Amino acid sequence: MKPFTYERAKSPAQAAAAVARDPGAKFIAGGTNLLDLMKLQIEAPTHLVDVNGLALDKMEPTAEGGLRIGALVRNTTLAADERVRRDYSVLSRALLAGASGQLRNKATTAGNLLQRTRCPYFYDTDQPCNKREPGSGCSAISTAAEGEGTAVTRQLAVIGSSQACIATHPSDMAVAMRVLDATVETVRPDGRARVIPIADFHRLPGDTPHIETTLERGELITAVTLPRPAGGTQLYRKVRDRASYAFALVSVAAIVQRNGAGRVALGGVAHKPWRDEAADAALQQGAEAVASRLLAGAQPTHDNAFKLPLAERTIAAVLAQARA
């Protein structure tokens, strides 16, 4: 690990300003992702701004009937909250499907949204990676092009990717937030607040896969707000290589109403939580219609083409369970 300096922020605006004025600065809260990346020298911040003392760890109802979740609320606390379990059970289920109990005790709401990919080429500093070093190339794509058995792309994206990157977003919580239509509240370095719909928060890779969100330099997440409860049956199903402490091959978050209407979002298949409102509109036509719209335009590699039928079957299973 390389040397760095450290400070404790006294206010959200001060924290944002401190990171904005130093190109090598990073926020740190739970550190469950950042510290790993620092140890591997994938991330090498020269200055850390600790935001743990900013009193952003509260949950409170909103005037509109929703729930405002502070950026520093730990995943364990959020998953166990009575209001979340009752009104936003898809979120509680998604959180409990992610990581280990020890990590959930430390991981924060904002940090979970900001997780970086678990692509093996991103973690291998001997391999070119556009996300780690812009313009260096994508080893996953170049080795996949060489043919069967040459690339480790089993976990990677099948849709929404680009010629620069086929990484996936690893968060379970973010998939649930997407199906719930959450909004992300931030403060900018000049102290101005901003509200970003979760649909617009994460970016697709395009030509700049290293730019993963729509946050500006120094912009600090202060809260995530859930709208008024949607009701209905809420489910989260995660398909993975082992029963615990593994990232999703495919995950499905769904909210299904008594009349058959609802929403579906996928995890493990794209650079961001994947949802298409046209697929939501097709929900009453059945699982096949939903999957067809969600996965339209998919471009899998030889090693992860199995994700398409896996996603179709998982969507069908989740919708059947919700309607039963």
Side-chain angles (χ1 to χ4, degrees), residues 93-99 170-172 236-252 314 318:
R93 291 170 187 267
L95 285 162
L96 293 173
S171 173
D172 293 289
Y236 185 79
R237 182 170 296 191
K238 180 178 181 177
V239 183
R240 45 190 161 175
D241 284 325
R242 56 182 185 269
S244 65
Y245 200 46
F247 296 101
L249 293 169
V250 168
S251 64
V252 176
T314 307
V318 167

mmCIF file with all atom_site columns, all heavy atoms in Angstrom, residues 93-99 170-172 236-252 314 318:
data_model
loop_
_atom_site.group_PDB
_atom_site.id
_atom_site.type_symbol
_atom_site.label_atom_id
_atom_site.label_alt_id
_atom_site.label_comp_id
_atom_site.label_asym_id
_atom_site.label_entity_id
_atom_site.label_seq_id
_atom_site.pdbx_PDB_ins_code
_atom_site.Cartn_x
_atom_site.Cartn_y
_atom_site.Cartn_z
_atom_site.occupancy
_atom_site.B_iso_or_equiv
_atom_site.pdbx_formal_charge
_atom_site.auth_seq_id
_atom_site.auth_comp_id
_atom_site.auth_asym_id
_atom_site.auth_atom_id
_atom_site.pdbx_PDB_model_num
ATOM 1   N N   . ARG A 1 93  ? -34.156 -8.268  1.025   1.00 0.00 ? 93  ARG A N   1
ATOM 2   C CA  . ARG A 1 93  ? -33.752 -9.565  0.462   1.00 0.00 ? 93  ARG A CA  1
ATOM 3   C C   . ARG A 1 93  ? -32.443 -9.433  -0.329  1.00 0.00 ? 93  ARG A C   1
ATOM 4   O O   . ARG A 1 93  ? -31.563 -10.287 -0.248  1.00 0.00 ? 93  ARG A O   1
ATOM 5   C CB  . ARG A 1 93  ? -34.851 -10.104 -0.459  1.00 0.00 ? 93  ARG A CB  1
ATOM 6   C CG  . ARG A 1 93  ? -36.133 -10.522 0.249   1.00 0.00 ? 93  ARG A CG  1
ATOM 7   C CD  . ARG A 1 93  ? -37.231 -10.801 -0.779  1.00 0.00 ? 93  ARG A CD  1
ATOM 8   N NE  . ARG A 1 93  ? -38.519 -11.044 -0.159  1.00 0.00 ? 93  ARG A NE  1
ATOM 9   C CZ  . ARG A 1 93  ? -38.990 -12.253 0.167   1.00 0.00 ? 93  ARG A CZ  1
ATOM 10  N NH1 . ARG A 1 93  ? -38.239 -13.317 -0.069  1.00 0.00 ? 93  ARG A NH1 1
ATOM 11  N NH2 . ARG A 1 93  ? -40.172 -12.396 0.729   1.00 0.00 ? 93  ARG A NH2 1
ATOM 12  N N   . ALA A 1 94  ? -32.328 -8.355  -1.104  1.00 0.00 ? 94  ALA A N   1
ATOM 13  C CA  . ALA A 1 94  ? -31.119 -8.158  -1.911  1.00 0.00 ? 94  ALA A CA  1
ATOM 14  C C   . ALA A 1 94  ? -29.900 -7.951  -1.019  1.00 0.00 ? 94  ALA A C   1
ATOM 15  O O   . ALA A 1 94  ? -28.823 -8.508  -1.273  1.00 0.00 ? 94  ALA A O   1
ATOM 16  C CB  . ALA A 1 94  ? -31.311 -6.969  -2.853  1.00 0.00 ? 94  ALA A CB  1
ATOM 17  N N   . LEU A 1 95  ? -30.049 -7.145  0.020   1.00 0.00 ? 95  LEU A N   1
ATOM 18  C CA  . LEU A 1 95  ? -28.928 -6.906  0.928   1.00 0.00 ? 95  LEU A CA  1
ATOM 19  C C   . LEU A 1 95  ? -28.468 -8.189  1.604   1.00 0.00 ? 95  LEU A C   1
ATOM 20  O O   . LEU A 1 95  ? -27.269 -8.444  1.734   1.00 0.00 ? 95  LEU A O   1
ATOM 21  C CB  . LEU A 1 95  ? -29.326 -5.868  1.979   1.00 0.00 ? 95  LEU A CB  1
ATOM 22  C CG  . LEU A 1 95  ? -29.395 -4.422  1.481   1.00 0.00 ? 95  LEU A CG  1
ATOM 23  C CD1 . LEU A 1 95  ? -30.197 -3.567  2.439   1.00 0.00 ? 95  LEU A CD1 1
ATOM 24  C CD2 . LEU A 1 95  ? -27.992 -3.849  1.303   1.00 0.00 ? 95  LEU A CD2 1
ATOM 25  N N   . LEU A 1 96  ? -29.399 -8.996  2.046   1.00 0.00 ? 96  LEU A N   1
ATOM 26  C CA  . LEU A 1 96  ? -29.046 -10.229 2.744   1.00 0.00 ? 96  LEU A CA  1
ATOM 27  C C   . LEU A 1 96  ? -28.445 -11.266 1.799   1.00 0.00 ? 96  LEU A C   1
ATOM 28  O O   . LEU A 1 96  ? -27.795 -12.210 2.255   1.00 0.00 ? 96  LEU A O   1
ATOM 29  C CB  . LEU A 1 96  ? -30.273 -10.798 3.454   1.00 0.00 ? 96  LEU A CB  1
ATOM 30  C CG  . LEU A 1 96  ? -30.786 -9.942  4.622   1.00 0.00 ? 96  LEU A CG  1
ATOM 31  C CD1 . LEU A 1 96  ? -32.099 -10.505 5.160   1.00 0.00 ? 96  LEU A CD1 1
ATOM 32  C CD2 . LEU A 1 96  ? -29.751 -9.854  5.735   1.00 0.00 ? 96  LEU A CD2 1
ATOM 33  N N   . ALA A 1 97  ? -28.644 -11.092 0.500   1.00 0.00 ? 97  ALA A N   1
ATOM 34  C CA  . ALA A 1 97  ? -28.044 -12.004 -0.480  1.00 0.00 ? 97  ALA A CA  1
ATOM 35  C C   . ALA A 1 97  ? -26.606 -11.614 -0.814  1.00 0.00 ? 97  ALA A C   1
ATOM 36  O O   . ALA A 1 97  ? -25.912 -12.364 -1.498  1.00 0.00 ? 97  ALA A O   1
ATOM 37  C CB  . ALA A 1 97  ? -28.878 -12.022 -1.764  1.00 0.00 ? 97  ALA A CB  1
ATOM 38  N N   . GLY A 1 98  ? -26.173 -10.440 -0.340  1.00 0.00 ? 98  GLY A N   1
ATOM 39  C CA  . GLY A 1 98  ? -24.859 -9.937  -0.721  1.00 0.00 ? 98  GLY A CA  1
ATOM 40  C C   . GLY A 1 98  ? -23.815 -10.082 0.372   1.00 0.00 ? 98  GLY A C   1
ATOM 41  O O   . GLY A 1 98  ? -24.110 -9.947  1.561   1.00 0.00 ? 98  GLY A O   1
ATOM 42  N N   . ALA A 1 99  ? -22.602 -10.392 -0.010  1.00 0.00 ? 99  ALA A N   1
ATOM 43  C CA  . ALA A 1 99  ? -21.430 -10.405 0.868   1.00 0.00 ? 99  ALA A CA  1
ATOM 44  C C   . ALA A 1 99  ? -21.633 -11.327 2.075   1.00 0.00 ? 99  ALA A C   1
ATOM 45  O O   . ALA A 1 99  ? -22.389 -12.290 2.037   1.00 0.00 ? 99  ALA A O   1
ATOM 46  C CB  . ALA A 1 99  ? -21.099 -8.982  1.312   1.00 0.00 ? 99  ALA A CB  1
ATOM 47  N N   . PRO A 1 170 ? -21.333 -5.072  -9.552  1.00 0.00 ? 170 PRO A N   1
ATOM 48  C CA  . PRO A 1 170 ? -21.474 -6.201  -8.631  1.00 0.00 ? 170 PRO A CA  1
ATOM 49  C C   . PRO A 1 170 ? -22.565 -6.076  -7.576  1.00 0.00 ? 170 PRO A C   1
ATOM 50  O O   . PRO A 1 170 ? -22.849 -7.046  -6.875  1.00 0.00 ? 170 PRO A O   1
ATOM 51  C CB  . PRO A 1 170 ? -20.101 -6.243  -7.951  1.00 0.00 ? 170 PRO A CB  1
ATOM 52  C CG  . PRO A 1 170 ? -19.685 -4.805  -7.913  1.00 0.00 ? 170 PRO A CG  1
ATOM 53  C CD  . PRO A 1 170 ? -20.206 -4.202  -9.179  1.00 0.00 ? 170 PRO A CD  1
ATOM 54  N N   . SER A 1 171 ? -23.179 -4.912  -7.415  1.00 0.00 ? 171 SER A N   1
ATOM 55  C CA  . SER A 1 171 ? -24.063 -4.688  -6.274  1.00 0.00 ? 171 SER A CA  1
ATOM 56  C C   . SER A 1 171 ? -25.398 -5.408  -6.406  1.00 0.00 ? 171 SER A C   1
ATOM 57  O O   . SER A 1 171 ? -26.052 -5.358  -7.447  1.00 0.00 ? 171 SER A O   1
ATOM 58  C CB  . SER A 1 171 ? -24.326 -3.190  -6.112  1.00 0.00 ? 171 SER A CB  1
ATOM 59  O OG  . SER A 1 171 ? -25.308 -2.950  -5.126  1.00 0.00 ? 171 SER A OG  1
ATOM 60  N N   . ASP A 1 172 ? -25.825 -6.054  -5.324  1.00 0.00 ? 172 ASP A N   1
ATOM 61  C CA  . ASP A 1 172 ? -27.195 -6.574  -5.224  1.00 0.00 ? 172 ASP A CA  1
ATOM 62  C C   . ASP A 1 172 ? -28.141 -5.448  -4.827  1.00 0.00 ? 172 ASP A C   1
ATOM 63  O O   . ASP A 1 172 ? -29.240 -5.328  -5.369  1.00 0.00 ? 172 ASP A O   1
ATOM 64  C CB  . ASP A 1 172 ? -27.261 -7.694  -4.180  1.00 0.00 ? 172 ASP A CB  1
ATOM 65  C CG  . ASP A 1 172 ? -26.492 -8.930  -4.590  1.00 0.00 ? 172 ASP A CG  1
ATOM 66  O OD1 . ASP A 1 172 ? -26.952 -9.630  -5.511  1.00 0.00 ? 172 ASP A OD1 1
ATOM 67  O OD2 . ASP A 1 172 ? -25.432 -9.213  -4.012  1.00 0.00 ? 172 ASP A OD2 1
ATOM 68  N N   . TYR A 1 236 ? -36.479 -11.073 -4.580  1.00 0.00 ? 236 TYR A N   1
ATOM 69  C CA  . TYR A 1 236 ? -35.132 -10.958 -5.130  1.00 0.00 ? 236 TYR A CA  1
ATOM 70  C C   . TYR A 1 236 ? -34.536 -12.357 -5.166  1.00 0.00 ? 236 TYR A C   1
ATOM 71  O O   . TYR A 1 236 ? -34.472 -13.040 -4.140  1.00 0.00 ? 236 TYR A O   1
ATOM 72  C CB  . TYR A 1 236 ? -34.248 -10.040 -4.278  1.00 0.00 ? 236 TYR A CB  1
ATOM 73  C CG  . TYR A 1 236 ? -32.885 -9.797  -4.889  1.00 0.00 ? 236 TYR A CG  1
ATOM 74  C CD1 . TYR A 1 236 ? -32.732 -8.872  -5.916  1.00 0.00 ? 236 TYR A CD1 1
ATOM 75  C CD2 . TYR A 1 236 ? -31.758 -10.492 -4.461  1.00 0.00 ? 236 TYR A CD2 1
ATOM 76  C CE1 . TYR A 1 236 ? -31.495 -8.641  -6.496  1.00 0.00 ? 236 TYR A CE1 1
ATOM 77  C CE2 . TYR A 1 236 ? -30.514 -10.258 -5.033  1.00 0.00 ? 236 TYR A CE2 1
ATOM 78  C CZ  . TYR A 1 236 ? -30.386 -9.342  -6.052  1.00 0.00 ? 236 TYR A CZ  1
ATOM 79  O OH  . TYR A 1 236 ? -29.163 -9.121  -6.633  1.00 0.00 ? 236 TYR A OH  1
ATOM 80  N N   . ARG A 1 237 ? -34.132 -12.780 -6.351  1.00 0.00 ? 237 ARG A N   1
ATOM 81  C CA  . ARG A 1 237 ? -33.513 -14.095 -6.492  1.00 0.00 ? 237 ARG A CA  1
ATOM 82  C C   . ARG A 1 237 ? -32.137 -13.924 -7.131  1.00 0.00 ? 237 ARG A C   1
ATOM 83  O O   . ARG A 1 237 ? -32.003 -13.285 -8.174  1.00 0.00 ? 237 ARG A O   1
ATOM 84  C CB  . ARG A 1 237 ? -34.363 -15.047 -7.335  1.00 0.00 ? 237 ARG A CB  1
ATOM 85  C CG  . ARG A 1 237 ? -33.739 -16.441 -7.457  1.00 0.00 ? 237 ARG A CG  1
ATOM 86  C CD  . ARG A 1 237 ? -34.678 -17.440 -8.081  1.00 0.00 ? 237 ARG A CD  1
ATOM 87  N NE  . ARG A 1 237 ? -35.853 -17.680 -7.261  1.00 0.00 ? 237 ARG A NE  1
ATOM 88  C CZ  . ARG A 1 237 ? -36.715 -18.668 -7.479  1.00 0.00 ? 237 ARG A CZ  1
ATOM 89  N NH1 . ARG A 1 237 ? -36.536 -19.500 -8.487  1.00 0.00 ? 237 ARG A NH1 1
ATOM 90  N NH2 . ARG A 1 237 ? -37.768 -18.812 -6.698  1.00 0.00 ? 237 ARG A NH2 1
ATOM 91  N N   . LYS A 1 238 ? -31.148 -14.523 -6.499  1.00 0.00 ? 238 LYS A N   1
ATOM 92  C CA  . LYS A 1 238 ? -29.760 -14.402 -6.945  1.00 0.00 ? 238 LYS A CA  1
ATOM 93  C C   . LYS A 1 238 ? -29.230 -15.781 -7.294  1.00 0.00 ? 238 LYS A C   1
ATOM 94  O O   . LYS A 1 238 ? -29.213 -16.686 -6.443  1.00 0.00 ? 238 LYS A O   1
ATOM 95  C CB  . LYS A 1 238 ? -28.921 -13.778 -5.825  1.00 0.00 ? 238 LYS A CB  1
ATOM 96  C CG  . LYS A 1 238 ? -27.448 -13.586 -6.152  1.00 0.00 ? 238 LYS A CG  1
ATOM 97  C CD  . LYS A 1 238 ? -26.754 -12.905 -4.972  1.00 0.00 ? 238 LYS A CD  1
ATOM 98  C CE  . LYS A 1 238 ? -25.281 -12.660 -5.242  1.00 0.00 ? 238 LYS A CE  1
ATOM 99  N NZ  . LYS A 1 238 ? -24.619 -11.943 -4.122  1.00 0.00 ? 238 LYS A NZ  1
ATOM 100 N N   . VAL A 1 239 ? -28.788 -15.954 -8.537  1.00 0.00 ? 239 VAL A N   1
ATOM 101 C CA  . VAL A 1 239 ? -28.196 -17.217 -8.984  1.00 0.00 ? 239 VAL A CA  1
ATOM 102 C C   . VAL A 1 239 ? -26.685 -17.034 -9.026  1.00 0.00 ? 239 VAL A C   1
ATOM 103 O O   . VAL A 1 239 ? -26.182 -16.125 -9.676  1.00 0.00 ? 239 VAL A O   1
ATOM 104 C CB  . VAL A 1 239 ? -28.717 -17.620 -10.376 1.00 0.00 ? 239 VAL A CB  1
ATOM 105 C CG1 . VAL A 1 239 ? -28.141 -18.968 -10.789 1.00 0.00 ? 239 VAL A CG1 1
ATOM 106 C CG2 . VAL A 1 239 ? -30.241 -17.664 -10.380 1.00 0.00 ? 239 VAL A CG2 1
ATOM 107 N N   . ARG A 1 240 ? -25.968 -17.894 -8.327  1.00 0.00 ? 240 ARG A N   1
ATOM 108 C CA  . ARG A 1 240 ? -24.518 -17.746 -8.186  1.00 0.00 ? 240 ARG A CA  1
ATOM 109 C C   . ARG A 1 240 ? -23.864 -19.108 -8.115  1.00 0.00 ? 240 ARG A C   1
ATOM 110 O O   . ARG A 1 240 ? -24.534 -20.134 -7.999  1.00 0.00 ? 240 ARG A O   1
ATOM 111 C CB  . ARG A 1 240 ? -24.202 -16.918 -6.936  1.00 0.00 ? 240 ARG A CB  1
ATOM 112 C CG  . ARG A 1 240 ? -25.026 -17.350 -5.714  1.00 0.00 ? 240 ARG A CG  1
ATOM 113 C CD  . ARG A 1 240 ? -24.895 -16.384 -4.572  1.00 0.00 ? 240 ARG A CD  1
ATOM 114 N NE  . ARG A 1 240 ? -25.983 -16.535 -3.610  1.00 0.00 ? 240 ARG A NE  1
ATOM 115 C CZ  . ARG A 1 240 ? -26.070 -15.883 -2.467  1.00 0.00 ? 240 ARG A CZ  1
ATOM 116 N NH1 . ARG A 1 240 ? -25.127 -15.030 -2.130  1.00 0.00 ? 240 ARG A NH1 1
ATOM 117 N NH2 . ARG A 1 240 ? -27.079 -16.068 -1.648  1.00 0.00 ? 240 ARG A NH2 1
ATOM 118 N N   . ASP A 1 241 ? -22.559 -19.113 -8.143  1.00 0.00 ? 241 ASP A N   1
ATOM 119 C CA  . ASP A 1 241 ? -21.821 -20.371 -8.186  1.00 0.00 ? 241 ASP A CA  1
ATOM 120 C C   . ASP A 1 241 ? -21.833 -21.118 -6.871  1.00 0.00 ? 241 ASP A C   1
ATOM 121 O O   . ASP A 1 241 ? -21.653 -22.336 -6.846  1.00 0.00 ? 241 ASP A O   1
ATOM 122 C CB  . ASP A 1 241 ? -20.373 -20.123 -8.618  1.00 0.00 ? 241 ASP A CB  1
ATOM 123 C CG  . ASP A 1 241 ? -20.258 -19.858 -10.114 1.00 0.00 ? 241 ASP A CG  1
ATOM 124 O OD1 . ASP A 1 241 ? -21.029 -20.468 -10.876 1.00 0.00 ? 241 ASP A OD1 1
ATOM 125 O OD2 . ASP A 1 241 ? -19.407 -19.054 -10.514 1.00 0.00 ? 241 ASP A OD2 1
ATOM 126 N N   . ARG A 1 242 ? -21.991 -20.407 -5.757  1.00 0.00 ? 242 ARG A N   1
ATOM 127 C CA  . ARG A 1 242 ? -22.112 -21.082 -4.460  1.00 0.00 ? 242 ARG A CA  1
ATOM 128 C C   . ARG A 1 242 ? -23.165 -20.354 -3.640  1.00 0.00 ? 242 ARG A C   1
ATOM 129 O O   . ARG A 1 242 ? -23.551 -19.236 -3.955  1.00 0.00 ? 242 ARG A O   1
ATOM 130 C CB  . ARG A 1 242 ? -20.771 -21.133 -3.734  1.00 0.00 ? 242 ARG A CB  1
ATOM 131 C CG  . ARG A 1 242 ? -20.103 -19.808 -3.503  1.00 0.00 ? 242 ARG A CG  1
ATOM 132 C CD  . ARG A 1 242 ? -18.750 -19.977 -2.802  1.00 0.00 ? 242 ARG A CD  1
ATOM 133 N NE  . ARG A 1 242 ? -18.160 -18.690 -2.477  1.00 0.00 ? 242 ARG A NE  1
ATOM 134 C CZ  . ARG A 1 242 ? -17.335 -18.011 -3.266  1.00 0.00 ? 242 ARG A CZ  1
ATOM 135 N NH1 . ARG A 1 242 ? -16.989 -18.517 -4.450  1.00 0.00 ? 242 ARG A NH1 1
ATOM 136 N NH2 . ARG A 1 242 ? -16.835 -16.848 -2.890  1.00 0.00 ? 242 ARG A NH2 1
ATOM 137 N N   . ALA A 1 243 ? -23.586 -20.964 -2.556  1.00 0.00 ? 243 ALA A N   1
ATOM 138 C CA  . ALA A 1 243 ? -24.767 -20.483 -1.846  1.00 0.00 ? 243 ALA A CA  1
ATOM 139 C C   . ALA A 1 243 ? -24.556 -19.178 -1.098  1.00 0.00 ? 243 ALA A C   1
ATOM 140 O O   . ALA A 1 243 ? -25.526 -18.503 -0.757  1.00 0.00 ? 243 ALA A O   1
ATOM 141 C CB  . ALA A 1 243 ? -25.255 -21.555 -0.873  1.00 0.00 ? 243 ALA A CB  1
ATOM 142 N N   . SER A 1 244 ? -23.306 -18.800 -0.799  1.00 0.00 ? 244 SER A N   1
ATOM 143 C CA  . SER A 1 244 ? -23.085 -17.560 -0.072  1.00 0.00 ? 244 SER A CA  1
ATOM 144 C C   . SER A 1 244 ? -21.761 -16.934 -0.485  1.00 0.00 ? 244 SER A C   1
ATOM 145 O O   . SER A 1 244 ? -20.871 -17.601 -1.022  1.00 0.00 ? 244 SER A O   1
ATOM 146 C CB  . SER A 1 244 ? -23.070 -17.818 1.440   1.00 0.00 ? 244 SER A CB  1
ATOM 147 O OG  . SER A 1 244 ? -21.970 -18.622 1.803   1.00 0.00 ? 244 SER A OG  1
ATOM 148 N N   . TYR A 1 245 ? -21.652 -15.640 -0.197  1.00 0.00 ? 245 TYR A N   1
ATOM 149 C CA  . TYR A 1 245 ? -20.427 -14.880 -0.430  1.00 0.00 ? 245 TYR A CA  1
ATOM 150 C C   . TYR A 1 245 ? -19.914 -15.042 -1.863  1.00 0.00 ? 245 TYR A C   1
ATOM 151 O O   . TYR A 1 245 ? -18.750 -15.351 -2.105  1.00 0.00 ? 245 TYR A O   1
ATOM 152 C CB  . TYR A 1 245 ? -19.351 -15.301 0.585   1.00 0.00 ? 245 TYR A CB  1
ATOM 153 C CG  . TYR A 1 245 ? -18.250 -14.269 0.746   1.00 0.00 ? 245 TYR A CG  1
ATOM 154 C CD1 . TYR A 1 245 ? -18.562 -12.928 0.890   1.00 0.00 ? 245 TYR A CD1 1
ATOM 155 C CD2 . TYR A 1 245 ? -16.915 -14.644 0.738   1.00 0.00 ? 245 TYR A CD2 1
ATOM 156 C CE1 . TYR A 1 245 ? -17.571 -11.976 1.034   1.00 0.00 ? 245 TYR A CE1 1
ATOM 157 C CE2 . TYR A 1 245 ? -15.901 -13.697 0.870   1.00 0.00 ? 245 TYR A CE2 1
ATOM 158 C CZ  . TYR A 1 245 ? -16.237 -12.370 1.014   1.00 0.00 ? 245 TYR A CZ  1
ATOM 159 O OH  . TYR A 1 245 ? -15.254 -11.424 1.143   1.00 0.00 ? 245 TYR A OH  1
ATOM 160 N N   . ALA A 1 246 ? -20.824 -14.868 -2.818  1.00 0.00 ? 246 ALA A N   1
ATOM 161 C CA  . ALA A 1 246 ? -20.458 -14.940 -4.229  1.00 0.00 ? 246 ALA A CA  1
ATOM 162 C C   . ALA A 1 246 ? -21.285 -13.900 -4.978  1.00 0.00 ? 246 ALA A C   1
ATOM 163 O O   . ALA A 1 246 ? -22.425 -13.596 -4.606  1.00 0.00 ? 246 ALA A O   1
ATOM 164 C CB  . ALA A 1 246 ? -20.720 -16.330 -4.790  1.00 0.00 ? 246 ALA A CB  1
ATOM 165 N N   . PHE A 1 247 ? -20.704 -13.355 -6.051  1.00 0.00 ? 247 PHE A N   1
ATOM 166 C CA  . PHE A 1 247 ? -21.409 -12.366 -6.859  1.00 0.00 ? 247 PHE A CA  1
ATOM 167 C C   . PHE A 1 247 ? -22.362 -13.069 -7.820  1.00 0.00 ? 247 PHE A C   1
ATOM 168 O O   . PHE A 1 247 ? -22.178 -14.230 -8.169  1.00 0.00 ? 247 PHE A O   1
ATOM 169 C CB  . PHE A 1 247 ? -20.409 -11.485 -7.591  1.00 0.00 ? 247 PHE A CB  1
ATOM 170 C CG  . PHE A 1 247 ? -19.570 -10.673 -6.657  1.00 0.00 ? 247 PHE A CG  1
ATOM 171 C CD1 . PHE A 1 247 ? -18.272 -11.063 -6.347  1.00 0.00 ? 247 PHE A CD1 1
ATOM 172 C CD2 . PHE A 1 247 ? -20.086 -9.542  -6.060  1.00 0.00 ? 247 PHE A CD2 1
ATOM 173 C CE1 . PHE A 1 247 ? -17.499 -10.327 -5.456  1.00 0.00 ? 247 PHE A CE1 1
ATOM 174 C CE2 . PHE A 1 247 ? -19.319 -8.794  -5.157  1.00 0.00 ? 247 PHE A CE2 1
ATOM 175 C CZ  . PHE A 1 247 ? -18.029 -9.193  -4.857  1.00 0.00 ? 247 PHE A CZ  1
ATOM 176 N N   . ALA A 1 248 ? -23.373 -12.336 -8.251  1.00 0.00 ? 248 ALA A N   1
ATOM 177 C CA  . ALA A 1 248 ? -24.430 -12.923 -9.067  1.00 0.00 ? 248 ALA A CA  1
ATOM 178 C C   . ALA A 1 248 ? -23.946 -13.251 -10.473 1.00 0.00 ? 248 ALA A C   1
ATOM 179 O O   . ALA A 1 248 ? -23.257 -12.450 -11.107 1.00 0.00 ? 248 ALA A O   1
ATOM 180 C CB  . ALA A 1 248 ? -25.611 -11.970 -9.147  1.00 0.00 ? 248 ALA A CB  1
ATOM 181 N N   . LEU A 1 249 ? -24.315 -14.442 -10.947 1.00 0.00 ? 249 LEU A N   1
ATOM 182 C CA  . LEU A 1 249 ? -24.276 -14.704 -12.386 1.00 0.00 ? 249 LEU A CA  1
ATOM 183 C C   . LEU A 1 249 ? -25.451 -13.985 -13.030 1.00 0.00 ? 249 LEU A C   1
ATOM 184 O O   . LEU A 1 249 ? -25.312 -13.294 -14.036 1.00 0.00 ? 249 LEU A O   1
ATOM 185 C CB  . LEU A 1 249 ? -24.352 -16.203 -12.643 1.00 0.00 ? 249 LEU A CB  1
ATOM 186 C CG  . LEU A 1 249 ? -23.152 -17.028 -12.183 1.00 0.00 ? 249 LEU A CG  1
ATOM 187 C CD1 . LEU A 1 249 ? -23.473 -18.507 -12.252 1.00 0.00 ? 249 LEU A CD1 1
ATOM 188 C CD2 . LEU A 1 249 ? -21.920 -16.703 -13.024 1.00 0.00 ? 249 LEU A CD2 1
ATOM 189 N N   . VAL A 1 250 ? -26.619 -14.150 -12.410 1.00 0.00 ? 250 VAL A N   1
ATOM 190 C CA  . VAL A 1 250 ? -27.840 -13.431 -12.787 1.00 0.00 ? 250 VAL A CA  1
ATOM 191 C C   . VAL A 1 250 ? -28.633 -13.199 -11.511 1.00 0.00 ? 250 VAL A C   1
ATOM 192 O O   . VAL A 1 250 ? -28.707 -14.093 -10.663 1.00 0.00 ? 250 VAL A O   1
ATOM 193 C CB  . VAL A 1 250 ? -28.691 -14.245 -13.787 1.00 0.00 ? 250 VAL A CB  1
ATOM 194 C CG1 . VAL A 1 250 ? -30.075 -13.620 -13.947 1.00 0.00 ? 250 VAL A CG1 1
ATOM 195 C CG2 . VAL A 1 250 ? -28.009 -14.335 -15.146 1.00 0.00 ? 250 VAL A CG2 1
ATOM 196 N N   . SER A 1 251 ? -29.195 -12.028 -11.363 1.00 0.00 ? 251 SER A N   1
ATOM 197 C CA  . SER A 1 251 ? -30.146 -11.803 -10.274 1.00 0.00 ? 251 SER A CA  1
ATOM 198 C C   . SER A 1 251 ? -31.371 -11.094 -10.833 1.00 0.00 ? 251 SER A C   1
ATOM 199 O O   . SER A 1 251 ? -31.292 -10.386 -11.845 1.00 0.00 ? 251 SER A O   1
ATOM 200 C CB  . SER A 1 251 ? -29.519 -10.987 -9.143  1.00 0.00 ? 251 SER A CB  1
ATOM 201 O OG  . SER A 1 251 ? -29.175 -9.690  -9.568  1.00 0.00 ? 251 SER A OG  1
ATOM 202 N N   . VAL A 1 252 ? -32.501 -11.310 -10.162 1.00 0.00 ? 252 VAL A N   1
ATOM 203 C CA  . VAL A 1 252 ? -33.771 -10.718 -10.589 1.00 0.00 ? 252 VAL A CA  1
ATOM 204 C C   . VAL A 1 252 ? -34.444 -10.071 -9.389  1.00 0.00 ? 252 VAL A C   1
ATOM 205 O O   . VAL A 1 252 ? -34.666 -10.725 -8.366  1.00 0.00 ? 252 VAL A O   1
ATOM 206 C CB  . VAL A 1 252 ? -34.714 -11.770 -11.204 1.00 0.00 ? 252 VAL A CB  1
ATOM 207 C CG1 . VAL A 1 252 ? -36.066 -11.131 -11.550 1.00 0.00 ? 252 VAL A CG1 1
ATOM 208 C CG2 . VAL A 1 252 ? -34.098 -12.396 -12.449 1.00 0.00 ? 252 VAL A CG2 1
ATOM 209 N N   . THR A 1 314 ? -34.815 -17.619 -14.710 1.00 0.00 ? 314 THR A N   1
ATOM 210 C CA  . THR A 1 314 ? -34.914 -16.998 -13.392 1.00 0.00 ? 314 THR A CA  1
ATOM 211 C C   . THR A 1 314 ? -36.059 -15.996 -13.351 1.00 0.00 ? 314 THR A C   1
ATOM 212 O O   . THR A 1 314 ? -36.799 -15.920 -12.361 1.00 0.00 ? 314 THR A O   1
ATOM 213 C CB  . THR A 1 314 ? -33.578 -16.314 -13.026 1.00 0.00 ? 314 THR A CB  1
ATOM 214 O OG1 . THR A 1 314 ? -32.511 -17.246 -13.169 1.00 0.00 ? 314 THR A OG1 1
ATOM 215 C CG2 . THR A 1 314 ? -33.608 -15.821 -11.588 1.00 0.00 ? 314 THR A CG2 1
ATOM 216 N N   . VAL A 1 318 ? -39.230 -16.354 -10.807 1.00 0.00 ? 318 VAL A N   1
ATOM 217 C CA  . VAL A 1 318 ? -39.590 -15.284 -9.876  1.00 0.00 ? 318 VAL A CA  1
ATOM 218 C C   . VAL A 1 318 ? -41.023 -14.826 -10.111 1.00 0.00 ? 318 VAL A C   1
ATOM 219 O O   . VAL A 1 318 ? -41.797 -14.645 -9.152  1.00 0.00 ? 318 VAL A O   1
ATOM 220 C CB  . VAL A 1 318 ? -38.608 -14.103 -10.021 1.00 0.00 ? 318 VAL A CB  1
ATOM 221 C CG1 . VAL A 1 318 ? -39.136 -12.863 -9.310  1.00 0.00 ? 318 VAL A CG1 1
ATOM 222 C CG2 . VAL A 1 318 ? -37.253 -14.485 -9.463  1.00 0.00 ? 318 VAL A CG2 1
#
